[in-house]
Amino acid sequence: MQHLARPLTSVLIKPAGPDCNLACRYCFYLEKNQMFPERKVHRMSREVLEATVWQVMYGGGSSVSFGWQGGEPTLMGVEFFEQAVEFQKEFGGGGRTVGNGLQTNGVLIDGRWCKFLSEAKFLVGLSLDGPEHIHDHYRVFRGGEPTWRRVVDSAKRMLDAGVEVNALTVLSDYSAEHPREIYEFHKSRGLTYMQFIPCLEPDPHDPSRPAAFSVSPEQFGRFLCEVFDCWVADFEDGRPTTSVRWFESVFATYVKVSPPECTLWSECGNYVVIEHNGDVFSCDFFVEDEWRLGNVLAGELIEMLNSPLQARFGRRKADLPHACQVCPWLRHCRGGCPKERWGNPADARLSRHCEAYKMFFEHADEKLREIAADWQREQAEESPVLPEAAYQQTPRVGRNDPCPCGSGLKYKRCCGR
């Protein structure tokens, strides 16, 4: 494969496509089955799996990451993932580091799954919205039966087996009203790694308005502020004892390193999504014909990642309105995810969560600056001081050079901005 500018470091794979054994009332992906009408049940073939793993392993660098998502990926069965790991080993070579993440609703997780996930060192993102009354408000089986008991039992089963588990919580109009209760619930269950995902979908009857279950900007902002206070209150010796992914990503922007969350990058497009049939798309939130890059059986992932279409997709994020460009919080939020920019022309392409972000930064900025200053002092104390000659030998970063933070962007478009 030819050398291309953007490396293939991670992919998001949907082996069961949009298929799911739940009928969560706020799910945005179930409707994607309309894109694959040729069959009712969608499952990735061994041929597509092998082609996908081979291309990632040979097109990636020293470290690659596989994210397995849905729909519900556990519908594929343990055997599918055992085969995926075997392919990773077969095509690995050279001491390459491989990471696997599985996002699941948890209802199929039994002892065999736990054994595999533990031995294969999968990181599991478990969809759990909090206590029973919150989780079961929207997360139900197709017949409307509650799912909470099955999910919390699976959480305990995985934690007892030594599986690394993160709680993935969707913030809806209902759950966002219970920030402290959700945070304390996860802690009490041993789920100290948390990710909060704001729900924002268009109303099916009036696409210019959010669906009723979407979290409002005011709700989202209040939620972030209160959970931030919980997170800070749990610090010990100046360090967090729980992990909240968005806070950690935002913190990265305060110490000028590349944040792990793509919503805080200047541009999108650093990964691709692979559907069950091998079709490749620009992003999980944009599995649409307009952003179809190709198919793993007919092209190379590394070329799709570096294609003009993917570049155009990525640049859309940086196309911000004037209000964003003059906002004091721009370097910390980067305008949010492009998925949040839709609706009435009066919105002026602002994120629908804009007011939530402003509320949060006005609340948390002083504390984040304090934490960042402490962290930078620690880094300076731990890092040896180089002799002057070493500094003279360190090459300067040009404006058009790749940014040293690792974002994949040019320096002038990232930390040099």
Side-chain angles (χ1 to χ4, degrees):
M1 296 182 181
Q2 60 177 309
H3 175 73
L4 295 166
R6 181 172 288 178
L8 183 64
T9 58
S10 64
V11 292
L12 181 61
I13 305 169
K14 294 179 176 285
D19 295 359
C20 190
N21 45 5
L22 301 191
C24 302
R25 298 188 177 105
Y26 51 50
C27 182
F28 77 95
Y29 210 78
L30 286 175
E31 65 182 30
K32 298 299 180 183
N33 59 19
Q34 299 171 11
M35 294 186 62
F36 312 104
E38 63 277 1
R39 58 189 62 181
K40 291 184 178 180
V41 177
H42 307 94
R43 299 290 185 269
M44 181 173 283
S45 68
R46 180 189 173 97
E47 180 187 18
V48 171
L49 174 64
E50 183 174 10
T52 298
V53 175
W54 186 90
Q55 289 205 36
V56 174
M57 299 305 291
Y58 279 88
S62 61
S63 178
V64 292
S65 175
F66 293 80
W68 307 92
Q69 203 183 81
E72 177 48 43
T74 60
L75 291 173
M76 299 299 299
V78 179
E79 298 83 0
F80 174 86
F81 291 93
E82 290 173 337
Q83 181 63 74
V85 171
E86 286 303 311
F87 282 144
Q88 290 170 356
K89 293 176 179 177
E90 180 181 348
F91 305 140
R96 185 177 285 116
T97 301
V98 180
N100 284 285
L102 177 74
Q103 183 172 330
T104 177
N105 58 40
V107 300
L108 295 179
I109 300 296
D110 57 13
R112 183 180 176 192
W113 268 108
C114 289
K115 184 175 185 295
F116 166 75
L117 294 169
S118 176
E119 292 178 351
K121 301 188 186 315
F122 270 54
L123 170 63
V124 175
L126 180 66
S127 296
L128 176 59
D129 285 355
E132 187 171 6
H133 75 98
I134 300 173
H135 180 91
D136 284 339
H137 193 78
Y138 286 123
R139 298 191 67 80
V140 295
F141 288 107
R142 293 188 179 277
E145 302 87 356
T147 63
W148 182 81
R149 173 49 58 188
R150 292 275 292 273
V151 179
V152 295
D153 287 349
S154 291
K156 183 178 187 306
R157 192 176 295 119
M158 285 190 285
L159 290 171
D160 288 347
V163 179
E164 189 173 349
V165 185
N166 293 1
L168 306 183
T169 299
V170 174
L171 300 183
S172 65
D173 64 319
Y174 185 76
S175 61
E177 292 297 314
H178 307 276
R180 187 173 297 272
E181 185 179 0
I182 294 172
Y183 178 86
E184 294 296 341
F185 169 81
H186 288 331
K187 267 192 5 178
S188 71
R189 296 276 170 170
L191 298 166
T192 55
Y193 291 82
M194 311 174 200
Q195 184 173 348
F196 299 105
I197 306 162
C199 181
L200 179 61
E201 296 298 326
D203 188 310
H205 306 294
D206 182 2
S208 68
R209 300 171 58 85
F213 49 70
S214 297
V215 62
S216 72
E218 184 181 358
Q219 284 180 310
F220 187 29
R222 288 200 314 266
F223 184 96
L224 290 174
C225 291
E226 187 161 347
V227 172
F228 179 79
D229 290 344
C230 294
W231 181 65
V232 170
D234 282 337
F235 273 39
E236 292 182 2
D237 298 325
R239 297 178 182 275
T241 58
T242 62
S243 170
V244 178
R245 180 176 170 82
W246 197 70
F247 298 159
E248 293 176 353
S249 291
V250 167
F251 170 76
T253 69
Y254 275 78
V255 295
K256 298 182 179 180
V257 299
S258 181
E261 195 157 319
C262 61
T263 60
L264 302 184
W265 296 348
S266 298
E267 294 189 5
C268 298
N270 276 27
Y271 78 102
V272 293
V273 177
I274 303 163
E275 255 290 347
H276 70 287
N277 62 352
D279 282 351
V280 183
F281 297 88
S282 294
C283 172
D284 180 32
F285 292 123
F286 293 91
V287 176
E288 303 165 358
D289 288 335
E290 179 183 2
W291 302 111
R292 183 181 180 278
L293 303 172
N295 188 284
V296 295
L297 299 180
E300 295 184 356
L301 287 174
I302 188 67
E303 292 184 352
M304 296 179 209
L305 181 68
N306 287 276
S307 66
L309 180 59
Q310 185 72 344
R312 180 161 65 88
F313 173 81
R315 288 193 298 269
R316 290 164 71 245
K317 189 179 193 306
D319 181 19
L320 297 171
H322 179 72
C324 283
Q325 295 175 23
V326 298
C327 178
W329 309 120
L330 175 61
R331 75 184 184 93
H332 299 305
C333 88
R334 297 297 181 190
C337 177
K339 177 184 183 290
E340 302 164 7
R341 305 177 199 165
W342 53 267
N344 296 321
D347 294 335
R349 293 183 292 112
L350 284 171
S351 163
R352 283 186 174 263
H353 293 321
C354 179
E355 292 306 314
Y357 297 141
K358 288 180 178 178
M359 187 187 305
F360 170 76
F361 287 118
E362 288 167 2
H363 175 81
D365 178 63
E366 184 177 351
K367 187 63 180 179
L368 284 167
R369 288 179 183 274
E370 177 187 319
I371 298 170
D374 290 343
W375 182 87
Q376 288 168 327
R377 270 195 301 272
E378 288 183 6
Q379 295 300 305
E381 291 171 0
E382 293 173 3
S383 301
V385 178
L386 296 176
E388 184 177 351
Y391 288 107
Q392 294 172 350
Q393 293 170 9
T394 302
R396 294 188 59 188
V397 180
R399 284 175 51 77
N400 291 309
D401 291 341
C403 188
C405 77
S407 66
L409 305 178
K410 291 183 179 180
Y411 178 68
K412 67 182 180 183
R413 291 186 175 274
C414 193
C415 296
R417 187 168 180 168

